[in-house]
Amino acid sequence: MATEAGSGSAGCSARTLAACVIGGIVLGASVLALHLAGPAAIPSLPPLDAVRRRFRRRRRRPVRVYMDGCFDMMHYGHCNALRQARALGDELIVGVISDEEIKANKGPPVTPLHERMIMVRAVKWVDDIIPDAPYAITEEFMNKLFTEYDIDYIIHGDDPCLLPDGTDAYALAKKAGRYKQIKRTEGVSTTDIVGRMLLCVRERSSDAHNHSSLQRQFSSGHGQKVDDGGSGSGTRVSHFLPTSRRIVQFSNSRGPGPDSRIVYIDGAFDLFHAGHVEILRLARELGDFLLVGIHTDQTISSTRGRHRPIMNLHERSLSVLACRYVDEVIIGAPWDVSKDMITTFNISLVVHGTIAENMDFMEDDSNPYAVPKAMGIYRRLESPLDITTSTIIRRIVANHEAYQKRNEKKEASEKKYYESKSFVNGE
């Protein structure tokens, strides 16, 4: 047995030796062949730039979507539409229709183009904007979107958008197979908000004979309702039904870091406008986290009159939450900024703009900012724009006949939409 084992081991060693010899001969021959062929035969690696270009081509190009609109008196319904549009792609490009196009197709805009651009650019789901966009998407403009702006899809809500001649404004995009639809946010529209202010104008003119207030009236075209909320103030009920899901959708879902410098600013933020956006932008630049307090409807009515606010607490909160400069809001913030509140939220700085509806409180003994002033953490910011909620209302009052005609036309189309609408799966 030992002889057999030794014989087997010897045979294995001989085979191993033979394999090594043959492998060495093959390797040597290969090296010799490369040497005789010269350096040109040795394969070289591609240049680094070529590798990068090849990698970029293989990498998926971001899906770019386009949505246009007037965005006149921008509200949370506009913001929710932009949020839904952004969810259909990787980058959202927004076309802001020119003043001239709005006048020709709908009537005079309440807010001019430069203010509307500030508002749209401040929405946190918007990546870029195209100013002076046309109302109707012509073939020329559509091709420009596809070639110059690399747009993949054009987005619009499920409500019809008709041109003055009755044709579909998005017919060409649909025909090209590059159209996608989102769900309209019900309960609010620019027409509705203008209607609320027109009610305010009519009501003020008859205040001497009529004790009802705007808070006791429902938005135009939807009847009248009241919600006292136990306060007896008769706060107006919006047609919008707020849900926790919608608030979460608008929220950043993140808090401040342990060492964050938290800036606090509060206000009504009624008819959220470009003046609000700009002061929030400045406030955010002063820290790492911007906390915004939204006052209750009752607080606003008591300080600014029974015709305010035009929009209720939830509507105003969503508009502010959609702003890219805002990190968090307090829904129903107290009028006074207390020591306990400053400690609870770890507030480093309390700010207020120089332009506001009513600055008389600054001289009162009951100054709501008395505590932060005493602590040395209060600062007044120079407001970049001289715009308030009253500014917007005055624009409506100055041209109320034109807006009344515009609203009557739009109310008819909105009524038709609500009568024929069906459930659409969307957010």
Side-chain angles (χ1 to χ4, degrees):
M1 293 293 293
T3 305
E4 290 177 0
S7 173
S9 298
C12 181
S13 299
R15 286 195 296 272
T16 302
L17 181 61
C20 291
V21 172
I22 294 170
I25 294 172
V26 171
L27 178 62
S30 299
V31 171
L32 181 61
L34 289 172
H35 176 72
L36 294 175
I42 300 174
S44 60
L45 292 173
L48 185 58
D49 288 344
V51 173
R52 287 173 177 166
R53 283 196 298 271
R54 203 171 300 166
F55 176 74
R56 281 196 293 267
R57 282 197 299 270
R58 290 175 183 173
R59 195 168 53 187
R60 183 180 69 87
R61 185 178 70 81
V63 175
R64 289 166 62 87
V65 296
Y66 172 83
M67 188 173 199
D68 61 12
C70 302
F71 303 105
D72 194 18
M73 292 185 60
M74 193 161 187
H75 49 72
Y76 63 90
H78 291 131
C79 298
N80 193 45
L82 295 173
R83 181 190 66 80
Q84 291 181 79
R86 179 64 168 73
L88 295 176
D90 301 305
E91 296 173 0
L92 172 61
I93 315 302
V94 179
V96 185
I97 296 171
S98 69
D99 293 342
E100 292 72 22
E101 288 276 271
I102 296 175
K103 289 176 186 175
N105 290 278
K106 299 179 70 172
V110 179
T111 48
L113 178 63
H114 72 277
E115 289 182 22
R116 292 185 284 117
M117 286 175 59
I118 289 173
M119 296 298 295
V120 175
R121 199 183 295 276
V123 176
K124 59 188 175 186
W125 299 289
V126 175
D127 295 290
D128 201 359
I129 63 173
I130 301 174
D132 290 314
Y135 189 83
I137 297 185
T138 62
E139 188 168 2
E140 179 185 2
F141 184 70
M142 185 174 70
N143 290 332
K144 183 176 181 180
L145 290 176
F146 295 157
T147 56
E148 292 187 26
Y149 293 98
D150 292 326
I151 299 298
D152 295 287
Y153 297 102
I154 295 171
I155 317 292
H156 190 259
D158 61 334
D159 53 318
C161 182
L162 303 179
L163 300 174
D165 62 2
T167 58
D168 185 354
Y170 295 90
L172 290 174
K174 292 175 181 178
K175 186 178 179 181
R178 307 280 285 272
Y179 176 84
K180 287 190 177 184
Q181 189 168 278
I182 59 171
K183 183 175 174 59
R184 169 186 167 135
T185 304
E186 296 181 6
V188 68
S189 66
T190 300
T191 303
D192 173 59
I193 296 170
V194 170
R196 299 183 201 186
M197 286 187 282
L198 290 173
L199 278 174
C200 181
V201 172
R202 290 197 295 271
E203 191 176 87
R204 279 179 170 174
S205 66
S206 61
D207 264 350
H209 308 287
N210 182 6
H211 295 292
S212 66
S213 69
L214 180 64
Q215 280 77 18
R216 290 184 169 84
Q217 304 215 33
F218 198 45
S219 53
S220 61
H222 296 292
Q224 297 179 1
K225 295 187 180 180
V226 63
D227 175 22
D228 285 332
S231 68
S233 64
T235 304
R236 172 184 42 77
V237 178
S238 166
H239 197 54
F240 171 65
L241 301 176
T243 64
S244 57
R245 178 177 173 80
R246 181 53 44 82
I247 293 173
V248 169
Q249 287 170 338
F250 274 51
S251 172
N252 287 342
S253 301
R254 65 173 183 270
D259 300 320
S260 294
R261 178 176 169 83
I262 300 172
V263 180
Y264 178 75
I265 185 171
D266 60 2
F269 298 100
D270 196 14
L271 300 179
F272 196 62
H273 52 70
H276 291 138
V277 167
E278 287 296 271
I279 197 67
L280 291 174
R281 177 180 60 80
L282 291 186
R284 182 61 176 80
E285 290 174 355
L286 297 176
D288 308 304
F289 192 92
L290 181 60
L291 176 65
V292 181
I294 316 293
H295 293 153
T296 66
D297 297 345
Q298 290 76 18
T299 296
I300 298 168
S301 293
S302 65
T303 57
R304 301 187 184 179
R306 60 181 182 168
H307 296 286
R308 303 288 186 87
I310 302 297
M311 304 186 77
N312 71 25
L313 176 60
H314 289 105
E315 294 177 308
R316 293 180 284 114
S317 297
L318 287 177
S319 292
V320 174
L321 267 175
C323 181
R324 68 171 68 248
Y325 309 120
V326 176
D327 295 291
E328 182 64 289
V329 303
I330 300 175
I331 303 174
W335 176 251
D336 293 301
V337 182
S338 66
K339 177 69 166 63
D340 180 69
M341 179 179 169
I342 291 170
T343 303
T344 298
F345 292 100
N346 196 26
I347 295 170
S348 304
L349 182 66
V350 177
V351 300
H352 194 279
T354 54
I355 302 296
E357 293 285 320
N358 181 8
M359 298 293 285
D360 294 342
F361 64 81
M362 299 298 292
E363 309 301 327
D364 295 343
D365 293 334
S366 58
N367 187 334
Y369 304 108
V371 171
K373 286 182 77 173
M375 295 174 64
I377 61 169
Y378 176 80
R379 179 173 171 183
R380 288 186 69 179
L381 298 180
E382 190 69 33
S383 299
L385 296 177
D386 186 8
I387 303 173
T388 65
T389 300
S390 293
T391 305
I392 308 298
I393 295 176
R394 282 195 295 269
R395 293 174 184 175
I396 298 292
V397 172
N399 204 10
H400 71 275
E401 289 186 6
Y403 291 123
Q404 184 68 55
K405 290 179 181 178
R406 187 182 84 168
N407 265 29
E408 288 171 358
K409 182 179 178 181
K410 285 292 293 179
E411 282 169 9
S413 65
E414 288 189 8
K415 183 179 179 182
K416 185 177 180 181
Y417 164 78
Y418 277 104
E419 288 175 347
S420 61
K421 79 168 189 175
S422 58
F423 175 77
V424 176
N425 186 23
E427 299 186 271

